[in-house]
Amino acid sequence: MTQLEKTYDPKSFEDRIYAAWEADGDFVADAQSEKPAYTIVMPPPNVTGQLHMGHALVSTLQDILIRWKRMSGYEVLWLPGTDHASISTEAKVKDKLAAQGLTKQDVGRERFLEEAWDWTREYGGTIRKQLRKMGVSCDWSRERFTMDEGLSHVVFLVFEALYKEGKIYRGDRIVNWCPDCGTAISDAEVDHIEEEGHLWYIRYPFTDGSGSMMIATTRPETLLGDLAVAVNPEDERFKDVVGKTLTLPLVGREIPVIADAYVDMEYGTGCVKITPSHDPNDFEVGARHDLGQCVVINNDATIAEGYAPYSGLDRYEARKRMVKDLEEQGLLDHVETLSHAVGHCSRSGTVIEPLLSKQWFVAMDEYIKGAKEALESGALKLVPERFSKIYMNWIDNIHDWTISRQLWWGHRIPVWYCHDCGEVIVSEHEPQACPKCGSHHLHQDPDTLDTWFSSALWPFSTLGWPEETEDMQKFYPTDVLVTGYDIIFFWVIRMVFSAMHFTGQSPFHHVYFNGLVRDELGRKMSKSLGNGVDPLDVIDQYGADALRYTLVTGNSPGNDTRFSEKRVEASRNFANKLWNATRFVLLHVDPEMDQTIREDSLQMEDRWILSALNTVEQNVNRNLDAFEIGLAAREIYDFTWFSFCDWYIEMVKERLYGDDEEAKRNALAVLLHVIRAIVRLLHPIMPFITEEIWAAIPKTEGKIIHAPYPTGDDTYRYPDDEAAITMVIGAITAIRNERQSRDVAPGRLIRVIFQTDDATVKATLETMQSRIMTLARAEAVTIEPMGDAVEDAATIVQEQLKIYLPLKGLVDFAAEVEKLSREKERVEGEIARLSKKLSNEGFTFKAPAAVVDKEREKLAGYQGMLPDLEKAIAEAQRLAEA
């Protein structure tokens, strides 16, 4: 047993406690355990990343679920790991080389990869250390990295399998090209941002000089690659021009007028320029009409050779020059301003360029069906459920997945080409010779795979698939994935269809989507706004528990949360309140004391707190089951701060300082029972302070991390006492409010007169009389039958109860009249509202009978209060005029 320090200082124990957990193997899962399994795989952060508030939130949510289930009797596995993050890591290494005056081409692929591995080893441990500061209880002995040998083997195996099934192919397609990253990116990696732009109306003259056709475009620089102008075959305006040729402005190339149903007759001029190499829709039109290809924009977003004077210019500089030249040649008809969605690379923010490129793709028509089946069958549930619509919409509008990247860092595509016979060899292992001609002159495809290709295999590759390992048998499928809603397309759906295809099961039962952490003004945290907050700075100042509690309170599934330092301070104050309350109790406890609760010796407040605790335990578990972690945290907070600290401890002080040793012992037994329950309830959310308190409570065994989680039962169930103490608290609170509103000094004792004809209320007041005197700061408490109003007294009217506070000489009776009049208006308003509600047959016939009866009881209660308020107002007016 340890002693709690006088002052709550998380720095003095958080690191020590975490080191003990890790050293003792408290996070390690046992695949041979007979306990039911509960598994979470950590969304792998970038290996060279730094912890930010988004990481802090998602790791806290996962840790809460893991600790709760561990304490609830499950064999839990929280499997951690990191992602190689091909684009961002490659960019970091390129920057490092650039600082030395080098490019990756200067050093070559082999040395570049050595530099990348060095970078990963140097900075890869940072986020692991930071996650430990958050208190995450993941099984570090099973930590994985997406470029581990085992995981890499799975990537190559899956690639080969999909290729043999005909689901992976190589072809010329329009891809989203990021000029800044220098690689193709998938549709899911493109952010479509609404921007102000222009629509240029350009005239294309007929070759025979018979006039012109007018097209409208938002990208005039692509005009250089036009191979046709298309009209709708049903458009009567252009029946006679289909088949004629036009002279392409600025280039002079003859291009045909073609008819294609793709053209929307109602949009623009009804004529569409067709640029097959720089627009995905035009690519399809070009294929139908055998137009061929014409690439006019390079990978660095400059204009290709052969188009002087624009060649070599940046695409936007070329746009300006071309528009100017069109205007001078009289071919620019007019320009309109418009708002339209422009695709940007989600990583660099650069406007993407649709380019024709030879890439590797995954055909999605069949592959995607598993993702749909998992959701529709109920094998997979999304929390909140509203994300199911977004999920299904993405599935229904899926395109083939571009999986090749023009990068060096990452999983190199397992494809080799034979120099001698041209054979394409796809293999999970590097071939030694061409299987067709026996040649040893082979070279590997230079591209790497999309990072999300390997991440899509994460839930089962990390557990040992394709081998039937103990971990795979025990912990797969996993139970829940906790992740941000912003990567539902990047990652979540891809994991589902990959797992369904290769394992036949959904990789997890639930996906819990958390929102973004925003600043206190609701803005997204970003470097440009300068509003980012380093979680480690918060931990250093307030402790990890305060940060964790802040992140989950007020947080509901799928919704963003606002972060502010004031909220962290409030969370630390909560921890401090629990710390001080525990110290107060322990100061009165003899370590060898008998801690048995004797039910026959329980007093009313004991039965109330035990019964209320039972209710809280059940509510917390129900909320955790529903992933309403914020509500669970609030339940624990309210019970701890208000019910336990503010009321129960104050109520039992009379016994703690009294002479009845048995009454004192039983009170302390209840206090210790409740503290043990509170810290166990709170442990998943605030693990450090609860572990430290647990170690200080006499006769506790082991660590709290393995203690049973409270679930609530019928052992202590006293609804009558809960109702009674709730009434007493309401009365004391009302008295305190009256004192405060009249500026009665806290140290000044007052008289309190209760009037009631209800036997239960009277018995409760008599039982709690001494507590009421203490907590209401009263010199005397009198309990009488209902009768005449007490003269010269402030009046409080409650159901079945009137409270008089004789305050002659202390009270401004004119103000008392105003206050009572406002209360009378409120009561009259409630009577009117309830009367209207109960006169509505739609309510009285359709609502459950219990609900209707409850509303009638409320109405009767308010109607009973009104005459008493009117009498009180009349008496206050008399005294004010006296």
Side-chain angles (χ1 to χ4, degrees):
M1 188 180 78
T2 62
Q3 296 292 322
L4 291 186
E5 296 294 331
K6 185 175 181 181
T7 304
Y8 168 59
D9 177 18
K11 284 184 180 179
S12 69
F13 57 81
E14 287 190 348
D15 288 347
R16 166 174 53 80
I17 286 174
Y18 195 90
W21 285 331
E22 201 167 356
D24 293 345
D26 291 321
F27 308 153
V28 177
D30 180 4
Q32 297 182 345
S33 168
E34 294 183 0
K35 297 178 185 177
Y38 185 85
T39 317
I40 295 178
V41 289
M42 179 186 290
N46 290 355
V47 66
T48 58
Q50 299 282 329
L51 190 75
H52 56 63
M53 276 300 171
H55 292 134
L57 171 61
V58 76
S59 63
T60 298
L61 293 171
Q62 290 172 92
D63 197 39
I64 289 170
L65 294 172
I66 282 292
R67 288 178 182 272
W68 169 52
K69 287 295 186 179
R70 184 185 288 120
M71 297 174 74
S72 299
Y74 288 78
E75 189 62 37
V76 303
L77 170 60
W78 183 14
L79 195 148
T82 48
D83 186 88
H84 64 279
S86 55
I87 292 179
S88 58
T89 303
E90 177 140 337
K92 298 280 190 187
V93 178
K94 284 167 65 177
D95 289 344
K96 179 184 176 184
L97 292 173
Q100 302 169 27
L102 298 170
T103 66
K104 71 177 192 177
Q105 287 75 20
D106 291 335
V107 301
R109 187 165 194 144
E110 187 174 341
R111 185 183 156 191
F112 182 84
L113 291 177
E114 289 174 3
E115 292 279 353
W117 277 109
D118 288 345
W119 180 274
T120 299
R121 282 187 283 268
E122 183 176 354
Y123 295 100
T126 302
I127 200 159
R128 298 187 197 102
K129 295 173 185 173
Q130 293 171 332
L131 286 168
R132 283 173 165 87
K133 293 290 287 185
M134 286 294 303
V136 301
S137 61
C138 53
D139 186 347
W140 293 109
S141 70
R142 284 176 167 87
E143 183 183 6
R144 305 305 300 268
F145 176 46
T146 48
M147 287 184 65
D148 283 349
E149 183 178 347
L151 269 60
S152 295
H153 173 250
V154 172
V155 169
F156 301 142
L157 183 152
V158 165
F159 185 98
E160 181 182 3
L162 292 174
Y163 179 81
K164 288 179 177 177
E165 293 172 23
K167 291 184 174 64
I168 284 183
Y169 66 93
R170 193 183 191 211
D172 291 317
R173 292 286 187 276
I174 297 294
V175 298
N176 305 301
W177 186 271
C178 174
D180 188 60
C181 297
T183 184
I185 58 175
S186 69
D187 291 341
E189 294 168 291
V190 178
D191 294 332
H192 293 279
I193 302 171
E194 202 70 21
E195 292 183 354
E196 285 293 313
H198 296 91
L199 196 59
W200 286 271
Y201 286 79
I202 304 168
R203 293 194 175 276
Y204 284 35
F206 286 110
T207 307
D208 62 8
S210 60
S212 64
M213 296 182 76
M214 187 158 63
I215 62 91
T217 180
T218 58
R219 299 165 65 213
E221 66 276 12
T222 63
L223 170 155
L224 303 172
D226 288 358
L227 295 181
V229 167
V231 296
N232 192 292
E234 303 299 321
D235 197 330
E236 295 294 333
R237 294 173 294 175
F238 305 113
K239 287 282 189 184
D240 297 334
V241 300
V242 175
K244 295 186 70 171
T245 61
L246 302 163
T247 301
L248 184 62
L250 306 180
V251 179
R253 180 167 63 238
E254 283 191 26
I255 59 174
V257 179
I258 61 174
D260 195 282
Y262 156 70
V263 180
D264 183 352
M265 292 184 287
E266 306 299 323
Y267 182 77
T269 65
C271 308
V272 177
K273 61 189 284 299
I274 302 299
T275 319
S277 299
H278 296 283
D279 182 276
N281 295 312
D282 292 3
F283 179 87
E284 300 297 335
V285 174
R288 285 195 291 272
H289 295 270
D290 199 23
L291 296 178
Q293 297 294 332
C294 182
V295 177
V296 297
I297 298 178
N298 297 320
N299 289 352
D300 62 357
T302 60
I303 302 301
E305 289 299 317
Y307 297 96
Y310 315 114
S311 296
L313 294 178
D314 174 77
R315 54 184 165 170
Y316 298 126
E317 182 58 33
R319 177 185 293 181
K320 292 177 187 176
R321 292 275 293 273
M322 291 170 65
V323 168
K324 182 174 180 291
D325 291 347
L326 287 166
E327 189 171 18
E328 289 176 353
Q329 294 176 26
L331 297 176
L332 182 64
D333 190 86
H334 66 284
V335 183
E336 292 180 357
T337 300
L338 83 164
S339 179
H340 64 147
V342 179
H344 292 68
C345 173
S346 62
R347 295 183 184 273
S348 69
T350 305
V351 174
I352 61 105
E353 192 65 45
L355 291 182
L356 180 71
S357 181
K358 190 175 288 296
Q359 302 285 344
W360 287 93
F361 298 86
V362 177
M364 294 306 303
D365 287 350
E366 290 297 320
Y367 201 26
I368 192 66
K369 290 181 179 178
K372 191 171 188 176
E373 178 191 336
L375 190 68
E376 290 182 340
S377 69
L380 172 67
K381 292 182 174 62
L382 306 185
V383 181
E385 197 274 334
R386 69 174 185 271
F387 283 102
S388 297
K389 184 176 181 181
I390 300 170
Y391 179 102
M392 293 302 291
N393 184 61
W394 195 77
I395 287 174
D396 292 339
N397 293 280
I398 192 74
H399 296 102
D400 285 358
W401 176 13
T402 314
I403 57 170
S404 48
R405 297 291 181 268
Q406 288 62 55
L407 302 168
W408 287 356
W409 174 245
H411 294 104
R412 193 167 177 179
I413 290 176
V415 175
W416 288 261
Y417 306 96
C418 177
H419 287 279
D420 296 331
C421 72
E423 178 73 355
V424 177
I425 307 152
V426 177
S427 173
E428 61 181 283
H429 303 294
E430 183 175 358
Q432 299 304 306
C434 175
K436 184 176 182 181
C437 71
S439 170
H440 294 281
H441 299 136
L442 309 177
H443 70 277
Q444 189 174 357
D445 194 298
D447 290 349
T448 55
L449 285 164
D450 179 9
T451 297
W452 298 107
F453 188 89
S454 55
S455 298
L457 314 176
W458 186 251
F460 53 95
S461 65
T462 52
L463 294 172
W465 185 91
E467 305 301 324
E468 275 296 315
T469 62
E470 285 188 336
D471 279 1
M472 191 70 188
Q473 292 176 30
K474 178 72 175 178
F475 298 112
Y476 186 85
T478 71
D479 288 271
V480 61
L481 174 76
V482 181
T483 188
Y485 60 69
D486 51 337
I487 59 171
I488 183 173
F489 314 124
F490 290 112
W491 192 41
V492 176
I493 293 177
R494 287 171 176 165
M495 281 191 287
V496 178
F497 64 64
S498 299
M500 290 291 287
H501 186 79
F502 287 102
T503 73
Q505 295 176 283
S506 174
F508 18 74
H509 303 308
H510 291 88
V511 179
Y512 173 100
F513 290 108
N514 60 272
L516 303 176
V517 182
R518 298 183 178 274
D519 70 9
E520 56 188 323
L521 300 177
R523 301 174 301 177
K524 189 174 180 178
M525 291 186 178
S526 67
K527 290 181 180 178
S528 59
L529 290 174
N531 61 345
V533 179
D534 187 338
L536 295 183
D537 290 341
V538 178
I539 291 171
D540 185 62
Q541 186 171 358
Y542 298 101
D545 286 331
L547 174 59
R548 289 168 62 111
Y549 188 83
T550 302
L551 289 170
V552 300
T553 48
N555 188 310
S556 58
N559 292 327
D560 295 346
T561 186
R562 295 190 180 191
F563 180 88
S564 70
E565 191 167 350
K566 288 182 180 177
R567 291 184 59 225
V568 186
E569 288 176 359
S571 298
R572 182 193 161 93
N573 290 344
F574 173 50
N576 196 57
K577 181 101 170 176
L578 175 60
W579 184 271
N580 289 337
T582 305
R583 280 195 77 253
F584 170 79
V585 172
L586 294 181
L587 287 173
H588 292 81
V589 172
D590 179 342
E592 301 304 319
M593 183 194 90
D594 175 11
Q595 296 183 21
T596 306
I597 295 175
R598 294 192 172 84
E599 195 166 1
D600 58 354
S601 299
L602 291 175
Q603 300 195 17
M604 182 177 284
E605 63 265 28
D606 302 329
R607 292 191 293 273
W608 160 67
I609 199 68
L610 292 170
S611 190
L613 173 62
N614 223 328
T615 301
V616 168
E617 290 170 348
Q618 292 178 335
N619 289 344
V620 167
N621 279 277
R622 184 168 57 250
N623 283 320
L624 290 174
D625 267 326
F627 299 100
E628 289 288 358
I629 295 172
L631 294 180
R634 191 74 222 183
E635 283 267 355
I636 302 168
Y637 178 97
D638 288 346
F639 175 81
T640 303
W641 189 294
F642 301 112
S643 299
F644 184 64
C645 295
D646 283 359
W647 289 104
Y648 181 69
I649 288 179
E650 295 302 316
M651 287 178 181
V652 300
K653 281 182 177 177
E654 179 181 317
R655 281 183 279 165
L656 296 184
Y657 295 118
D659 297 328
D660 187 332
E661 289 301 319
E662 175 53 24
K664 178 180 180 179
R665 189 211 60 77
N666 214 38
L668 285 169
V670 173
L671 285 164
L672 290 172
H673 173 86
V674 176
I675 289 173
R676 280 198 184 90
I678 287 172
V679 293
R680 283 181 291 142
L681 286 169
L682 191 58
H683 176 73
I685 303 168
M686 303 177 84
F688 291 110
I689 185 175
T690 51
E691 191 71 85
E692 186 75 352
I693 288 175
W694 184 260
I697 300 173
K699 299 186 179 181
T700 54
E701 295 181 0
K703 299 192 190 80
I704 197 172
I705 191 172
H706 298 299
Y709 199 76
T711 56
D713 53 38
D714 292 326
T715 305
Y716 298 113
R717 183 65 69 194
Y718 309 106
D720 292 343
D721 294 286
E722 282 197 66
I725 295 297
T726 299
M727 183 272 293
V728 170
I729 289 173
I732 294 171
T733 301
I735 294 168
R736 288 174 172 176
N737 291 340
E738 288 293 331
R739 292 178 59 115
Q740 186 176 6
S741 68
R742 287 165 174 72
D743 295 324
V744 177
R748 189 157 189 174
L749 300 180
I750 61 171
R751 289 175 55 222
V752 178
I753 300 170
F754 291 106
Q755 288 189 356
T756 183
D757 286 334
D758 186 284
T760 301
V761 173
K762 179 174 181 290
T764 298
L765 293 173
E766 289 173 345
T767 300
M768 299 299 295
Q769 188 167 359
S770 62
R771 277 69 146 188
I772 293 170
M773 286 181 65
T774 301
L775 298 175
R777 300 292 297 153
E779 59 184 356
V781 171
T782 305
I783 304 163
E784 304 174 349
M786 285 287 190
D788 295 333
V790 177
E791 293 188 0
D792 301 343
T795 306
I796 301 167
V797 180
Q798 296 186 335
E799 283 191 55
Q800 308 295 334
L801 181 67
K802 282 191 284 187
I803 308 170
Y804 294 101
L805 310 179
L807 297 172
K808 189 172 182 179
L810 300 175
V811 177
D812 179 345
F813 285 103
E816 177 74 0
V817 171
E818 288 184 19
K819 183 182 78 66
L820 288 169
S821 297
R822 286 195 299 271
E823 177 65 3
K824 178 172 175 280
E825 287 177 13
R826 185 187 74 81
V827 169
E828 288 172 334
E830 286 298 306
I831 290 171
R833 181 184 68 81
L834 289 165
S835 297
K836 183 178 179 181
K837 188 174 185 179
L838 289 165
S839 65
N840 179 359
E841 292 183 353
F843 170 71
T844 55
F845 282 120
K846 293 180 181 178
V851 173
V852 176
D853 289 344
K854 187 71 176 176
E855 295 299 276
R856 286 185 176 134
E857 286 178 17
K858 287 182 186 176
L859 177 60
Y862 283 122
Q863 288 171 333
M865 289 169 65
L866 193 57
D868 294 331
L869 283 167
E870 289 171 342
K871 288 179 184 177
I873 290 169
E875 179 62 16
Q877 285 175 332
R878 182 186 69 77
L879 292 169
E881 295 166 0

